[in-house]
Amino acid sequence: MLMPTMASAGPTVYRCETAGKVAYSDSPCIGATVVDAAPTQGMDKMSGQSREGKDVQQTEFKRVFDNALKPLTGRSTEGMDVLRRRVKLPGPDQQACARLDGQLPRLELDARETQGAAKARAEFDLYGARKRYFELKC
């Protein structure tokens, strides 16, 4: 049920092209494509000693913890991150996010596959759903 494009570890990054100019943003635009912008996870020295910062250590701890709980929850680390973020939202917003989780993959497919005048409408609908997802902090 969770969308892979929206459940990444960090915020979603959109590639927007307007009048031949490309811009990258955390807010959606019409005709945007989602960019994989996963952060790096530290660098090990040749000695094998890890040089990870505190944030990377916390992320690694969460990953191990989430993997241990996966048989009980059925959720991946990304799914648990979404759950952690959404638990802070009011109930109606959580429900709206769940609806958008189902709508966005269909809208993305429509925007990719439609042609002509219908394509502009499909991209506008996708933009509206992505914007709502962003505003709700899903």
Side-chain angles (χ1 to χ4, degrees):
M1 276 303 224
L2 295 175
M3 291 183 351
T5 58
M6 296 294 177
S8 62
T12 303
V13 177
Y14 298 96
R15 181 183 187 272
C16 302
E17 192 169 337
T18 307
K21 294 188 178 187
V22 176
Y24 295 91
S25 175
D26 64 344
S27 60
C29 63
I30 295 177
T33 56
V34 177
V35 177
D36 180 16
T40 59
Q41 295 294 310
M43 183 174 176
D44 292 339
K45 290 166 55 174
M46 299 235 329
S47 67
Q49 185 178 10
S50 180
R51 296 184 60 186
E52 297 173 337
K54 190 171 190 132
D55 58 335
V56 174
Q57 290 172 357
Q58 288 175 342
T59 301
E60 181 63 17
F61 174 80
K62 276 198 276 184
R63 187 187 63 77
V64 170
F65 186 78
D66 293 344
N67 284 339
L69 289 180
K70 190 172 183 176
L72 299 174
T73 64
R75 294 180 187 262
S76 66
T77 298
E78 292 81 14
M80 291 298 289
D81 285 343
V82 169
L83 184 64
R84 285 182 194 99
R85 192 171 55 246
R86 288 187 184 170
V87 76
K88 300 171 189 170
L89 298 176
D93 289 355
Q94 290 180 15
Q95 292 171 352
C97 288
R99 278 192 303 277
L100 286 168
D101 282 340
Q103 293 172 353
L104 279 166
R106 179 184 49 80
L107 292 170
E108 288 172 348
L109 182 65
D110 288 348
R112 258 193 323 270
E113 293 185 349
T114 55
Q115 302 292 324
K119 183 164 185 73
R121 182 64 195 177
E123 286 183 351
F124 183 77
D125 291 343
L126 175 59
Y127 164 73
R130 283 178 171 170
K131 185 173 187 222
R132 182 75 177 134
Y133 194 93
F134 178 77
E135 290 168 348
L136 289 170
K137 298 181 173 130
C138 295

